Every structure is written in C-alpha cells, then in structure tokens.
C-alpha cells in the first residue's frame, strides 16, 4: 500500500471545461449544448459541452488581467482618472454577473461589448 491513499481505484483525466461544467452542476450528459466560459488570469477558455464531452473548445490569451488593464486605460482616457490594479479588479467584478451558472435566454454580453469598445474593436 502506498504511503498516501485516497481510496480511488482509478483516476481519469478530463478536459478543464468539462471539469468546470461538472463543478457548476451543469447536466453535461444532456443532449443539449451548454457553453462554458472560464475567464482566468492569463487566458479565457470557451467550450461547448454536450452528451458528456467537449464538442468544441477555444482558448485565447485575453483574460482577467487584460480586462483590468482595459478598465484602467478607459478611465484614464475618458475621465482622466488613474486607478490601481485592485480598484480595476473590483470594478470588473461589479460589472460581471457572479452566479456560478448563468442561464441566458437572449445572448447579450454588455460587459464584453464594453471591453471590446475600450480596445477600439
């Protein structure tokens, strides 16, 4: 017997978006699709989960830190106001919905539109 044992007979590796969906109690085995978006510190991952697997998955290098920087840049340009990293983070958290599972009927993302507008896109 190894020195540390958790009692598991087998361990499986699964994709991170699938693990996030399971953790958010999304019915991943359902025949309908569920979109998972994970905004991390260095990248944003989006995936569509259906029938217990990842249908498609994309990762981009625009994430939480870049959004914080965009908020700081926007406030400086538009309002001549300089804010620190923590204040920008607090503003971002107040702008983005926080429930663990966000169920949308009409797909509108004002925070993302606002972010892209700040980037000039």
């Amino acid at each position: 017997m190894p020195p540390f044992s958790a009692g598991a007979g087998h361990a499986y590796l699964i994709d991170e978006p699938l693990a996030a969906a399971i953790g958010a109690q999304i019915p991943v085995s359902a025949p309908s699709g569920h979109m998972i978006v994970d905004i991390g510190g260095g990248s944003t991952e989006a995936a569509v989960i259906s029938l217990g697997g990842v249908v498609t998955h994309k990762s981009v290098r625009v994430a939480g830190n870049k959004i914080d920087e965009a908020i700081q840049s926007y406030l400086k340009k538009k309002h001549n106001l300089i804010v620190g990293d923590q204040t920008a983070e607090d503003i971002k958290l107040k702008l983005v919905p926080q429930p663990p599972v966000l169920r949308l009927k009409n797909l509108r993302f004002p925070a993302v539109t606002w972010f892209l507008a700040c980037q000039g896109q």
Side-chain angles (χ1 to χ4, degrees), residues 11 16 26 34 39 41 50 56 58 65 69 77 81-82 100 113 117-118:
E16 187 175 354
I26 293 172
H34 300 278
I39 301 175
S50 182
T56 185
K58 178 75 175 173
N65 294 342
E69 291 170 11
K77 287 179 186 174
L81 179 65
I82 297 174
T113 304
C118 292

Side-chain angles (χ1 to χ4, degrees), residues 22-80:
I22 292 169
Q25 297 178 348
I26 293 172
V28 295
S29 61
S32 59
H34 300 278
M35 183 173 191
I36 308 299
V37 179
D38 179 12
I39 301 175
S43 66
T44 296
E45 295 184 34
V48 175
I49 309 289
S50 182
L51 295 173
V54 176
V55 177
T56 185
H57 176 254
K58 178 75 175 173
S59 180
V60 293
R61 294 189 57 107
V62 175
N65 294 342
K66 293 286 185 187
I67 294 172
D68 293 347
E69 291 170 11
I71 291 170
Q72 289 173 313
S73 175
Y74 175 82
L75 291 173
K76 185 176 180 184
K77 287 179 186 174
K78 297 293 183 182
H79 301 286
N80 199 27

